[in-house]
């Protein structure tokens, strides 16, 4: 009775219209058999894009902020100066250490000359063993003082270099923690930033699907426009969030055109099950309000309207839950049949 009511609604034109698709050039309805094949059931989750490299640069020496060449949201290249601290104190220590190193070097040269002279005289037996040992000890002490002075110079030079903070990698500055004229101390945050060159997707998996996803290691990342993103290495966190009982999945992204940015939402499809289903082309379906139907060819090749119950749609195919059997011929493009005399003559089964 429901099928008859459906046909009557079409014949009376009481339901919404269907787009009319072009019929085959031969004038005969094009048909394909209903086929049974595997359907991969997929869990769709919301994922978030984040930067692989995101960090906060902190001060490694004390000083007053003199320059901030870049502001928040500015792009920087690797090696660019992003913070300049007052270096007068560090430079003074460097100059002092450099002078001490030069003095120790001169003392070493003098001790080396003294030792060479006494060594040659000692070989001829003109100086005592005590004088020779003293000259040798003086030489060793001069070498040690030079090494200590060189270490102090290297430390002073490193402290001086800390007054110039450079970008560790190219990217975008996201936050500024200091202002010009502010005094900073070691460990104090200065600037935060991230790199757009390496991105990844982070998604939380429900506990019941975590083992399956970890075993199969298959996931598809899709943008809002339907574009599928190429993913790389997949990492599963070995622990669950105690609040949500979900496991975190992280995937590297390979996106050459730079259209992705941290914080964007994407759809992550994770296969969770598979089953055998009956498929027909999605273009064969006729939609009328809450009812669905297709044209099925009978033994004489005549199209007959058949009400069906549909399920999932995938890759241009439509799952048929009821109303068709495997192998039955379904009209692919029923647009020209809809609204024709065939309906008014009771063409349905």
């Amino acid at each position: 009775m429901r099928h008859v009511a459906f046909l009557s609604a079409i014949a009376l034109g009481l339901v919404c219209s269907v787009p009319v698709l072009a019929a085959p050039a031969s004038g005969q309805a094009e048909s394909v058999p209903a086929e049974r094949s595997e359907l991969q059931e997929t869990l769709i989750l919301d994922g978030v894009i984040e930067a692989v490299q995101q960090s906060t640069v902190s001060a490694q020496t004390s000083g007053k902020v003199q320059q901030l060449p870049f502001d928040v949201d500015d792009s920087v290249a690797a090696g660019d100066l992003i913070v300049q601290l007052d270096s007068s104190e560090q430079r003074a220590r460097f100059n002092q250490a450099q002078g001490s190193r030069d003095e120790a070097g001169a003392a070493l040269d003098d001790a080396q000359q003294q030792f060479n002279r006494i060594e040659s005289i000692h070989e001829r037996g003109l100086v005592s063993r005590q004088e020779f040992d003293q000259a040798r000890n003086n030489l060793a002490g001069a070498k040690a003082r030079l090494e200590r002075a060189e270490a102090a110079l290297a430390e002073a030079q490193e402290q001086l270099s800390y007054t110039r903070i450079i970008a560790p990698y190219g990217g975008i500055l996201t936050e500024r923690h200091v202002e010009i004229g502010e005094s900073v101390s070691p460990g104090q945050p200065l600037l935060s930033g991230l790199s757009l060159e390496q991105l990844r997707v982070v998604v939380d998996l429900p506990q019941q699907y975590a083992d399956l996803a970890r075993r199969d290691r298959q996931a598809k990342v899709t943008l809002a426009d339907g574009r599928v993103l190429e993913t790389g290495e997949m990492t599963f966190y070995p622990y669950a969030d105690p609040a949500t009982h979900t496991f975190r999945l992280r995937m590297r992204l390979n996106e050459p055109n730079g259209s992705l940015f941290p914080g964007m939402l994407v759809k992550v499809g994770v296969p969770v099950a598979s089953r055998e289903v009956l498929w027909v082309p999605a273009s064969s379906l006729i939609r009328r309000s809450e009812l669905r139907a297709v044209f099925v060819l009978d033994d004489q090749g005549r199209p007959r309207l058949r009400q069906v119950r549909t399920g999932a749609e995938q890759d241009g195919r439509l799952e048929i839950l009821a109303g068709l059997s495997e192998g039955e011929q379904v009209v692919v493009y029923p647009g020209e049949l809809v609204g024709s005399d065939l309906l008014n003559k009771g063409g349905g089964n």
Side-chain angles (χ1 to χ4, degrees), residues 28-238:
Q28 207 170 19
E30 180 184 351
S31 64
V32 296
E35 297 180 338
R36 191 172 296 276
S37 64
E38 185 178 78
L39 168 64
Q40 187 74 54
E41 293 185 345
T42 302
L43 177 68
I44 304 299
L45 301 169
D46 287 328
V48 179
I49 295 177
E50 66 177 23
V52 175
Q53 292 181 318
Q54 47 186 337
S55 57
T56 297
V57 177
S58 300
Q60 293 180 277
T61 187
S62 59
K64 184 180 294 185
V65 179
Q66 282 189 336
Q67 298 180 39
L68 290 170
F70 298 96
D71 204 345
V72 175
D73 294 334
D74 286 346
S75 297
V76 299
D80 281 351
L81 176 70
I82 54 177
V83 181
Q84 175 65 62
L85 302 180
D86 178 28
S87 61
S88 56
E89 181 179 350
Q90 288 81 1
R91 188 167 298 279
R93 292 178 181 175
F94 172 76
N95 293 336
Q96 183 180 4
Q98 193 170 37
S100 299
R101 195 277 311 270
D102 294 341
E103 182 180 357
L108 176 60
D109 292 340
D110 182 65
Q112 184 69 57
Q113 293 171 3
Q114 289 290 342
F115 176 75
N116 292 340
R117 284 195 296 268
I118 291 180
E119 184 180 31
S120 62
I121 297 175
H122 178 263
E123 291 175 353
R124 298 198 300 270
L126 300 178
V127 296
S128 64
R129 179 69 183 183
Q130 180 181 2
E131 291 177 304
F132 175 76
D133 290 342
Q134 184 178 1
R136 185 176 59 187
N137 293 338
N138 290 339
L139 177 60
K143 289 181 179 179
R145 287 189 291 274
L146 178 60
E147 290 177 357
R148 186 167 60 248
E150 287 178 341
L153 177 62
E155 181 181 1
Q157 186 172 17
E158 188 173 16
Q159 289 294 318
L160 179 60
S161 68
Y162 289 159
T163 62
R164 289 177 51 86
I165 294 90
I166 62 175
Y169 49 80
I172 295 177
L173 297 180
T174 58
E175 193 171 358
R176 189 172 71 182
H177 306 284
V178 293
E179 300 294 338
I180 294 178
E182 184 177 345
S183 295
V184 299
S185 56
Q188 182 174 344
L190 302 176
L191 293 170
S192 297
L194 54 83
S195 172
L196 298 178
E197 295 181 0
Q198 297 181 5
L199 301 174
R200 62 191 177 197
V201 171
V202 176
V203 64
D204 293 327
L205 289 172
Q207 180 177 333
Q208 62 266 36
Y209 303 117
D211 289 340
L212 180 64
R214 184 180 290 109
R215 184 191 66 203
D216 294 345
R217 292 187 172 271
Q218 295 181 5
K220 183 169 71 172
V221 180
T222 309
L223 293 178
D225 59 5
R227 183 160 55 98
V228 177
L229 301 178
E230 182 182 352
T231 59
E233 180 184 2
M234 186 179 296
T235 302
F236 289 88
Y237 285 37

